[in-house]
Amino acid sequence: LAPENPEFMPAIGKQTYRPSPTFSESTAAIDPAFRAKVAADSIAPCRGNGLIAAGFLEDGQGFYATANSNGNFGYQRTTNFDYTCTVRTEDGRGSGWVGRNLKDAADFKADQDIRIAMRKATESQEAKALEPGKYTVILEPAAAAGLISFMMNFFSARSADEGRSFLSKKGGGNKLGEQVYDPRVNMHADPWHPDAPVLPWDNEGMPRERIAIIENGKVANLDYSRFWAQKQAKTAKATPGNLLMSGGEKSTAELVRGTQKGILVTRTWYIRMVDPQTVLLTGLTRDGTFYIENGQIKHPVKNFRFNESPVIMLNNIEELGKPVRVAGDESNFVMMIPPMKLRDFTFTSLSDAV
């Protein structure tokens, strides 16, 4: 009894895919001994310093294949590597975190990375309460990734054209080509990026390509589904699989040294939507939030709840650091995101979280 789907699109025809470097020999070679050493290198230093470590090492290898009755076929091997570790003080008053999302396991050193989480756990004890309000912040890449990846869910041309997006234009249409962000904001997708490669096709089998998403703060491309592209007389393009944001050359530590007063945020967590029209998000800081004064970490501060839009955030840039590979907690994007120094970041209340 169901009517025909008016938006049905037939399976795509035969495509040509340029292979991308999604397979790493060093990651594929991970064995139980490697995993045990990562666990030992994470736990032993913490135990020796009265700290408690808990985390995950998730790795794998496999393949993806796509085929249909119109003659299209694609096959590619893949590997994945993701490490996270939370370190707590024994009394539970201090917490630190470190995460690594890498292509090659050969680039990973757990015994070095765990020191980051250990230091933050130790130094985040005796946190002081600051009044909620607008502050200059430095978001570490993992902290910025959660907000930015959420924003990318709203780059659908259809939702913009139908008035359901922050990229909708008053009176109809979308903001393609318009200045929406600070001119220093540049993002693109590239399935062949050497440090963040992804499959050369999307979920419909459309061939991916290197594509600009934001150029000098202007919206360069929106995501047109095959149906919506046909309806709007546009060219359909594959959905991006990674998000690569440009930045500068400074590390997070160097951004801190150049900050007179501000707050360093290690992570953002439990991010949820408040208003889709402005991409206003709410969430919490966690695992190490610190007050900066005269270019130095002065003392830990209690965690905050924030209400902030990544669109506004990316219009309040003071400085961008060097991009690093990260994975958003609730997204499928592989991302290269810089640490960010931002003004007027909105903290609305204090949080009892550690």
Side-chain angles (χ1 to χ4, degrees), residues 212-292:
I213 299 171
I214 301 169
E215 279 188 330
N216 302 323
K218 295 181 179 180
V219 178
N221 273 289
L222 293 174
D223 182 15
Y224 281 87
S225 68
R226 292 169 61 213
F227 167 76
W228 199 248
Q230 183 183 74
K231 183 177 177 64
Q232 301 293 88
K234 301 285 186 179
T235 301
K237 294 183 180 179
T239 303
N242 57 10
L243 182 68
L244 312 169
M245 183 173 177
S246 302
E249 290 298 321
K250 290 183 180 179
S251 65
T252 300
E254 289 171 315
L255 292 181
V256 169
R257 286 196 289 271
T259 301
Q260 189 67 23
K261 288 185 178 181
I263 295 174
L264 173 65
V265 178
T266 298
R267 290 183 71 195
T268 51
W269 177 71
Y270 213 140
I271 299 171
R272 294 295 181 266
M273 178 64 69
V274 176
D275 177 18
Q277 291 286 355
T278 60
V279 203
L280 181 64
L281 306 176
T282 189
L284 302 168
T285 67
R286 67 179 299 181
D287 297 324
T289 307
F290 301 92
Y291 182 66
I292 304 165

Side-chain angles (χ1 to χ4, degrees), residues 140-268:
E140 295 197 16
L147 283 81
I148 290 173
S149 62
F150 214 118
M151 178 185 73
M152 301 315 297
N153 294 327
F154 295 87
F155 266 66
S156 159
R158 181 172 187 172
S159 64
D161 289 343
E162 292 181 342
R164 298 181 284 111
S165 163
F166 78 101
L167 292 173
S168 301
K169 188 186 292 187
K170 287 184 179 180
N174 59 56
K175 295 182 180 178
L176 187 63
E178 294 192 8
Q179 193 83 37
V180 176
Y181 306 96
D182 184 291
R184 287 169 289 182
V185 177
N186 288 279
M187 298 183 190
H188 69 280
D190 182 357
W192 304 285
H193 189 282
D195 296 322
V198 292
L199 290 173
W201 62 80
D202 69 3
N203 290 336
E204 287 195 272
M206 294 278 288
R208 285 179 171 144
E209 56 188 86
R210 191 187 192 283
I211 185 172
I213 299 171
I214 301 169
E215 279 188 330
N216 302 323
K218 295 181 179 180
V219 178
N221 273 289
L222 293 174
D223 182 15
Y224 281 87
S225 68
R226 292 169 61 213
F227 167 76
W228 199 248
Q230 183 183 74
K231 183 177 177 64
Q232 301 293 88
K234 301 285 186 179
T235 301
K237 294 183 180 179
T239 303
N242 57 10
L243 182 68
L244 312 169
M245 183 173 177
S246 302
E249 290 298 321
K250 290 183 180 179
S251 65
T252 300
E254 289 171 315
L255 292 181
V256 169
R257 286 196 289 271
T259 301
Q260 189 67 23
K261 288 185 178 181
I263 295 174
L264 173 65
V265 178
T266 298
R267 290 183 71 195
T268 51

Side-chain angles (χ1 to χ4, degrees), residues 30-41:
I30 290 176
D31 57 13
F34 181 98
R35 298 186 188 99
K37 187 175 187 307
V38 169
D41 286 347

Side-chain angles (χ1 to χ4, degrees), residues 134 136-137 181-182 184-185 308-319 340-346:
K134 291 185 179 291
T136 294
V137 298
Y181 306 96
D182 184 291
R184 287 169 289 182
V185 177
E308 189 59 80
S309 165
V311 183
I312 295 172
M313 182 179 93
L314 293 176
N315 274 289
N316 287 338
I317 293 171
E318 290 198 356
E319 194 169 6
M340 303 179 183
K341 182 177 176 180
L342 310 163
R343 62 184 176 272
D344 294 335
F345 194 90
T346 307

